[in-house]
Amino acid sequence: MNFSNLKNLSAPYKVAMGVLAVLVLAGVGAYVYQFMGGLGVTGMSNGTSWGLYIACFMFFVGLSAGGLIVASSASIFHVAEYKKVALPAILVSLICICIAGAFVLIDLGGIVRILNLFASPNFMSPLLWDICVITTYLVINLIYLYFMTSKKPGAQDKVAIVSRFALPVAILVHSVTAWIFGLQIARAGWYSTIMAPLFVASAMDSGLALLLLALLWMNRAKVFATSRKLVANLAGLLAVCIAVDGYMVGCEVLTMAYPGTEHGMAELGQLFAGATAPFFWIEVIAGIIVPFIILVFAKNRRRMGLVALACAGVVVGVFCKRLWLLFTSFIFPNVSGAPGLISGSSSSQGAAGIDGWAVASSYMPTLPEIMIAVGMVALGVLAFLVLTKVFLSYDPAPALADDMAAGLAPADAAPTVGGAPAGSRPCDGVFGARAGGAPVERPSHADAC
């Protein structure tokens, strides 16, 4: 850990952190307002009891997958290339799972209700399972980060041990989150055996896409260097994950459409041309088809701009998936018959007579919800900016050497040692140069030559 890096921040870096801090403070203010007024200040109601907070919770749980899976795969499957980005991958995973857990607490309304979890836990509830597995996931991330940054003897051997627990827990945390929805028999859009694999698939591609975006930004900002060869490698893996995710979505739609049941066709009607259709088509087009077409070609995976575009499309597409998956099943209330059910929304508080009832549910996030969500995202980005400066260092020499060996570096590029140009021959990097031109031996590199 190098806290001294926080003292030498560039002006744009400081401005970015200042803007993010303002957004975080605005989110805190909005949460205080919600805490005092209750969940009635949100757009949620009896018909739509989960809103933007739970959508963001699902989204960030998925985003946390990519980092931990890449880091643990480096040790379990001995993928040496992935070890080079294991530390930034863990940072991304840790921040995302913290933000996901925070959204659950925000959705409680009165945060003191968390005490009920300890006073009277319901072990048959998938919600309790999810809290337990997310806590375990967070602890594993912290242990992983500790051993990866530890200088104590044997610490790296313990990383390999932790990784063997990390990978199955990473898969389990997304499966349990899916079971919160997939085990609800009363919701036709959720009740499906494919829900858990669907969540894991979308978590893989969105988490990996976010990790790639983070690596590309760190390269550009000179925070952490990653070779174009490794980025292209991870982009190829992302293409496979996108294909699997698209296959899962196709299976789910076909299973709902083929029987032609009343509830299934009503759900599909909303997906294809109803209230949640924009989110569904954005996911299919911008989140699956376009990124896959870009990344399936090797030459495109070597163009960092196209990789960034594809990754951004995947992240936006998976967020849209969380929205249509959550809200499509809320449109039709489980309680049928006239006059419907009492809305209970903030907009119907002053309604009288029949105006207080609803036969179809509607939802629109209010300003406090949006401010809190934006504040939480800003907090995550701010934490990432700080942690990357503390835990990571910029040394482009290994990345440039990898690119030159793979023929991906510019013809006039040369490896660098500690940020200074080195010679063109492998062993020239052993010697630097003083101001007067005399060579300086670098013993730490001599053995490699």
Side-chain angles (χ1 to χ4, degrees):
M1 299 176 66
N2 189 0
F3 290 99
S4 62
N5 287 341
L6 297 177
K7 300 178 182 179
N8 303 312
L9 300 178
S10 63
Y13 215 91
K14 292 179 180 179
V15 171
M17 293 179 66
V19 171
L20 291 169
V22 170
L23 293 176
V24 171
L25 291 176
V28 171
Y31 176 73
V32 172
Y33 173 73
Q34 175 184 289
F35 183 80
M36 296 175 63
L39 289 179
V41 304
T42 70
M44 291 182 278
S45 64
N46 289 337
T48 307
S49 53
W50 287 337
L52 182 61
Y53 301 147
I54 296 300
C56 289
F57 158 69
M58 292 189 291
F59 180 59
F60 276 94
V61 166
L63 290 179
S64 68
L68 188 59
I69 289 175
V70 167
S72 58
S73 297
S75 297
I76 295 177
F77 303 112
H78 304 288
V79 185
E81 286 290 298
Y82 293 173
K83 290 183 180 180
K84 300 173 183 177
V85 295
L87 184 54
I90 286 295
L91 293 178
V92 171
S93 177
L94 177 62
I95 292 170
C96 287
I97 199 62
C98 288
I99 297 299
F103 271 114
V104 174
L105 299 178
I106 292 170
D107 189 68
L108 288 175
I111 196 170
V112 293
R113 293 172 182 161
I114 194 67
L115 296 177
N116 294 332
L117 175 67
F118 305 99
S120 55
N122 179 10
F123 293 101
M124 293 300 293
S125 171
L127 293 169
L128 178 62
W129 307 346
D130 202 44
I131 290 175
C132 293
V133 76
I134 285 177
T135 304
T136 304
Y137 188 82
L138 174 60
V139 171
I140 285 180
N141 270 278
L142 291 172
I143 295 174
Y144 214 133
L145 180 62
Y146 172 77
F147 285 127
M148 287 192 68
T149 56
S150 175
K151 301 299 182 183
K152 296 180 180 179
Q156 295 306 309
D157 295 333
K158 294 178 182 178
V159 169
I161 296 174
V162 174
S163 65
R164 281 154 177 76
F165 294 94
L167 186 58
V169 171
I171 296 174
L172 184 62
V173 72
H174 306 300
S175 299
V176 174
T177 302
W179 290 335
I180 293 175
F181 303 91
L183 299 181
Q184 295 198 33
I185 192 172
R187 301 284 181 182
W190 296 342
Y191 187 59
S192 171
T193 56
I194 205 175
M195 193 60 67
L198 184 64
F199 264 62
V200 172
S202 61
M204 278 290 297
D205 60 7
S206 63
L208 188 53
L210 180 66
L211 175 60
L212 278 166
L213 287 174
L215 293 175
L216 290 172
W217 172 80
M218 287 188 288
N219 253 337
R220 188 177 183 86
K222 290 182 170 49
V223 175
F224 182 82
T226 307
S227 67
R228 293 166 53 130
K229 174 186 174 183
L230 180 53
V231 170
N233 187 320
L234 291 172
L237 178 60
L238 177 58
V240 176
C241 294
I242 293 171
V244 173
D245 191 20
Y247 171 73
M248 294 289 183
V249 173
C251 289
E252 178 70 1
V253 171
L254 178 62
T255 306
M256 291 174 63
Y258 188 81
T261 61
E262 178 182 354
H263 291 294
M265 297 310 294
E267 298 276 351
L268 288 178
Q270 294 296 327
L271 277 184
F272 291 160
T276 53
F279 304 116
F280 176 75
W281 292 115
I282 288 174
E283 187 232 338
V284 170
I285 298 172
I288 295 177
I289 296 176
V290 173
F292 180 76
I293 291 175
I294 292 175
L295 298 179
V296 75
F297 297 103
K299 63 179 181 180
N300 290 341
R301 297 197 294 268
R302 297 174 181 176
R303 300 175 63 181
M304 300 299 100
L306 285 178
V307 171
L309 177 63
C311 291
V314 170
V315 173
V316 171
V318 172
F319 181 68
C320 288
K321 172 189 284 188
R322 299 305 185 229
L323 294 178
W324 68 253
L325 180 67
L326 180 66
F327 295 121
T328 302
S329 291
F330 273 131
I331 292 176
F332 304 103
N334 290 338
V335 180
S336 60
L341 78 162
I342 298 177
S343 171
S345 64
S346 56
S347 60
S348 66
Q349 287 180 351
I354 197 69
D355 294 333
W357 297 77
V359 294
S361 181
S362 62
Y363 172 79
M364 177 65 71
T366 59
L367 182 60
E369 286 179 278
I370 296 173
M371 290 178 64
I372 290 173
V374 171
M376 288 303 303
V377 174
L379 178 61
V381 177
L382 182 60
F384 180 74
L385 293 182
V386 173
L387 292 180
T388 52
K389 283 294 185 180
V390 172
F391 286 101
L392 304 178
S393 59
Y394 182 70
D395 182 8
L400 187 54
D402 286 348
D403 284 342
M404 292 186 69
L408 297 176
D412 57 347
T416 60
V417 178
S424 58
R425 292 183 293 112
C427 291
D428 287 346
V430 178
F431 300 97
R434 299 186 189 276
V440 180
E441 186 176 357
R442 300 186 186 275
S444 60
H445 294 271
D447 292 338
C449 296

